[in-house]
Amino acid sequence: QKPLPPDQREYEVSHGRATLIIEAGRLANPEKENEMMRCGLPYGSRARLIIPYINSYAVIRKSREIDLGESLRRFMDKIGSPITGYNGKKVTEQIQSLAACQFILGEWNEDGATTKYGRFADEVSFWIDRDDKQHTLWRQTMVLSEKYYDTIQARHVPIDMNHPVKLTRSERRM
């Protein structure tokens, strides 16, 4: 729900006979060649707005490749996020964190233990182009992992984005 300290690279929670670990990952830094940047762990209402948008896009278009739009402003408008510079930076960070993280699920039962690994995305591209009028275009694409894509196609639930937007002040309610 809230940001963890920058040096904390994983989050772990157990419930019953299952444990979930989310590990922060790395992405190629779009601003510095040959540098991999550390991403944080996804958290908060922005991540909870981004996920249903991406899921809906994949289900409706039947595509693993998600086009997040030609501008950050338009994307923020689509997910119902207030359009400010600070908020834009935080939305971008959450997209990067979601794309880079890995999930590990441990389950225990009378037959033994099982560990499952998952990723939200297999590939993500970030770049900024400037056109002749010096207007910044924020172009971003994400390719969902095959396993994640197959799961949301098989078990999708329609979401009206107006509902999670109304709950953004409480991550728990979302």
Side-chain angles (χ1 to χ4, degrees), residues 12-21 104-109 112-116:
E12 183 173 330
V13 63
S14 295
H15 184 72
R17 300 172 94 185
T19 296
L20 172 67
I21 297 174
I104 304 169
L105 178 64
E107 298 174 305
W108 292 264
N109 62 35
T114 303
T115 304
K116 297 177 184 177

Side-chain angles (χ1 to χ4, degrees), residues 65 70 112 128 168:
E65 186 169 327
E70 68 182 36
I128 295 177
T168 55

Side-chain angles (χ1 to χ4, degrees), residues 4-6 8-9 22-26 37-43 93-94 96-98 100-101:
L4 298 172
Q8 188 170 342
R9 306 289 300 152
I22 304 171
E23 292 181 338
R26 292 177 180 249
M37 63 181 189
R38 287 178 161 231
C39 296
L41 290 162
Y43 70 90
E93 285 174 6
Q94 289 308 304
Q96 292 170 338
S97 295
L98 285 164
C101 73

Side-chain angles (χ1 to χ4, degrees), residues 65-83:
E65 186 169 327
I66 310 299
D67 179 1
L68 299 175
E70 68 182 36
S71 74
L72 176 56
R73 182 188 236 347
R74 285 191 186 162
F75 179 74
M76 291 170 64
D77 190 45
K78 285 180 185 179
I79 65 169
S81 184
I83 299 169

